[in-house]
Amino acid sequence: MFRFSIRKQISYIKIDVSYSIFTPSKLPNAQEAQMTGLIVRLKPNTWVTEKMISHGNYDKSLLLLKGDLELRIDNSTYMIYEGDSFYIPKNCLHNYLNTSNEEATIIVYFSQLVY
């Protein structure tokens, strides 16, 4: 179990995005987590990063809980709506923009531990 009150909060000055890691860093019997889960909150008309990015070591799976997104993967663009999920393979350039008038909330899982 990992209580909300002790989640690691991450924010970046140049972009209006907040990240909250919900994968426990300590598990019973000295085990380590094998994946990372995040809650991402993205303000309206805001990109999740300043430029297209890729993750060379891990895949990423996302579930949009609230809002609408414009997802760019390599040379393709997709519209993602509340309740939709999407998958981004490792080494794939991507970025996404909150196109709604409200804060977007996204559950993100990385296939490896990223912290």
Side-chain angles (χ1 to χ4, degrees), residues 49-95:
T49 64
E50 294 176 319
K51 59 184 179 177
M52 296 284 279
I53 60 168
S54 69
H55 307 292
N57 297 327
Y58 42 84
D59 300 328
K60 186 162 131 174
S61 183
L62 301 93
L63 171 64
L64 181 59
L65 296 179
K66 181 177 161 189
D68 299 324
L69 300 177
E70 177 183 302
L71 169 64
R72 294 189 182 169
I73 297 181
D74 291 328
N75 295 320
S76 299
T77 301
Y78 306 92
M79 291 306 301
I80 309 298
Y81 301 102
E82 195 168 297
D84 290 349
S85 60
F86 53 103
Y87 172 79
I88 301 171
K90 63 183 173 183
N91 296 317
C92 188
L93 283 173
H94 66 282
N95 201 351

Side-chain angles (χ1 to χ4, degrees), residues 2-70:
F2 197 47
R3 300 269 182 220
F4 174 76
S5 61
I6 59 172
R7 276 191 200 140
K8 184 174 183 179
Q9 303 294 316
I10 303 168
S11 62
Y12 296 94
I13 295 170
K14 294 184 179 182
I15 54 178
D16 206 357
V17 181
S18 71
Y19 300 90
S20 177
I21 297 173
F22 61 80
T23 302
S25 56
K26 306 241 186 232
L27 298 172
N29 302 321
Q31 294 177 327
E32 286 189 9
Q34 300 300 305
M35 60 189 332
T36 301
L38 303 171
I39 298 173
V40 178
R41 289 181 170 60
L42 183 60
K43 299 291 183 195
N45 300 307
T46 302
W47 290 94
V48 75
T49 64
E50 294 176 319
K51 59 184 179 177
M52 296 284 279
I53 60 168
S54 69
H55 307 292
N57 297 327
Y58 42 84
D59 300 328
K60 186 162 131 174
S61 183
L62 301 93
L63 171 64
L64 181 59
L65 296 179
K66 181 177 161 189
D68 299 324
L69 300 177
E70 177 183 302

